Amino acid sequence: MARCAVCDVTSSYISKEIGVCLRCIRERPEDALPHAMCAHRRSRTAFGLPERPPKNPDGLTCKICVNECRIPENGIGYCGLRRNEGGKIRDVSSQRGKLSWYHDPLPTNCVGDWVCPGGTGAGYPEYAYCPGPERGYKNLAVFFHACSFNCLFCQNWHFREETLKPRTRSVDELVADVVERTSCICYFGGDPVPQLPFSLRASRLAMERNKGRILRVCWETNGSMNRHLLDRMVELALKSGGCIKFDLKAWNENL
Ligand code: SF4
Ligand code: SF4
Ligand SMILES: [Zn+2]
């Protein structure tokens, strides 16, 4: 139960953290959004992440996602992954990333499972090993440790505990874990967007090393990527029989 700081209504549907009601966010954004922004600020500073995308006119520009950060010397991008050190972007690249991974037996809890070749056999025999769910095969789930958004009630919020840790892993390490029974790779997180150059490179290498057999490449994303990178993703997903799953966060711009 909380009270809306704008219209004074009390309701169990009002989040204590945000402090304003849904109606005010939709209909009185100029009054409500400053309260919501405070909640965002608190949630980011708790993890040492920048409060908003840096826009330093002399900073280094990153165009991987819609934030289009301009990162000042010794500063980091909104996602927390890219650091401007002496005029060069450091920390992650198309070769090294901040991520972890594990195998999940198919059929799995992947959101595309009810339509995809792995869960249904759609596209068999070109894109699926069986005419039904691919029992006996595995999905390589790749969890990225950063995001380009800051959803306040993120179900995978714990990725933020990893974002600023220095450890990175290489494309080769990930691809080496694609085994004979891996029939799909799914990138999620956090969100794959801030590390798309890494997942695109890893996917190409994995497909090359597994030529002649089915290996689907899928992404689950908030859709905030640069369009050119989206084109590359679509090419690989279509070629391999994989899916791109867009997680639409809100239909109303103020949300
Ligand atoms: S990927 Fe990260 S550094 Fe690049 S624009 Fe997006 S939030 Fe900023
Ligand atoms: S990774 Fe792709 S093919 Fe595999 S279960 Fe998920 S949506 Fe289906
Ligand atoms: Zn209200």
Side-chain angles (χ1 to χ4, degrees):
M1 185 74 77
R3 184 181 297 274
C4 173
V6 176
C7 69
D8 223 25
V9 155
T10 304
S11 161
S12 53
Y13 292 113
I14 300 174
S15 151
K16 246 195 295 195
E17 268 311 303
I18 303 177
V20 281
C21 73
L22 179 60
R23 194 167 173 176
C24 286
I25 294 173
R26 283 185 182 153
E27 295 174 9
R28 296 173 63 181
E30 61 293 347
D31 298 323
L33 291 188
H35 294 275
M37 289 315 292
C38 282
H40 279 283
R41 258 199 303 280
R42 281 197 302 279
S43 79
R44 294 191 61 84
T45 48
F47 295 96
L49 293 166
E51 290 178 13
R52 46 182 70 234
K55 294 288 174 194
N56 186 306
D58 301 321
L60 284 180
T61 305
C62 174
K63 292 203 167 183
I64 289 179
C65 81
V66 288
N67 292 320
E68 301 202 337
C69 297
R70 300 191 66 173
I71 311 169
E73 175 81 31
N74 296 321
I76 51 173
Y78 186 69
C79 59
L81 288 176
R82 291 189 171 72
R83 200 158 40 90
N84 176 349
E85 196 185 280
K88 293 227 158 57
I89 296 277
R90 304 279 183 201
D91 290 358
V92 299
S93 65
S94 62
Q95 319 249 19
R96 300 201 70 88
K98 293 191 179 178
L99 67 157
S100 47
W101 57 87
Y102 54 89
H103 270 110
D104 247 351
L106 288 169
T108 177
N109 63 352
C110 200
V111 291
D113 172 73
W114 61 291
V115 285
C116 78
T120 66
Y124 172 81
E126 203 179 341
Y127 296 121
Y129 285 101
C130 328
E134 279 180 341
R135 293 185 207 287
Y137 288 87
K138 299 187 279 191
N139 161 237
L140 183 63
V142 183
F143 185 83
F144 282 108
H145 295 172
C147 188
S148 45
F149 282 2
N150 191 58
C151 302
L152 289 173
F153 299 98
C154 175
Q155 63 169 352
N156 287 337
W157 65 271
H158 59 279
F159 75 82
R160 294 188 189 126
E161 290 178 333
E162 306 298 321
T163 306
L164 295 184
K165 289 186 183 164
R167 186 183 186 205
T168 58
R169 314 281 304 268
S170 71
V171 160
D172 281 328
E173 281 176 86
L174 172 64
V175 173
D177 275 349
V178 175
V179 294
E180 203 188 321
R181 287 267 149 176
T182 310
S183 66
C184 47
I185 305 175
C186 186
Y187 300 104
F188 72 118
D191 200 278
V193 163
Q195 302 193 70
L196 270 176
F198 180 100
S199 62
L200 288 166
R201 180 185 276 257
S203 306
R204 283 191 203 106
L205 185 64
M207 286 166 71
E208 205 176 287
R209 289 204 186 148
N210 289 274
K211 226 183 226 152
R213 76 161 183 100
I214 296 165
L215 178 64
R216 296 175 300 271
V217 175
C218 303
W219 281 270
E220 192 176 317
T221 172
N222 61 25
S224 64
M225 72 290 285
N226 178 308
R227 275 168 183 259
H228 298 296
L229 293 171
L230 177 60
D231 288 342
R232 304 288 88 77
M233 292 162 70
V234 170
E235 273 166 26
L236 293 178
L238 286 177
K239 191 168 165 196
S240 67
C243 324
I244 300 175
K245 298 152 271 183
F246 279 82
D247 189 351
L248 302 179
K249 303 296 178 187
W251 62 270
N252 182 300
E253 191 64 28
N254 296 324
L255 292 168

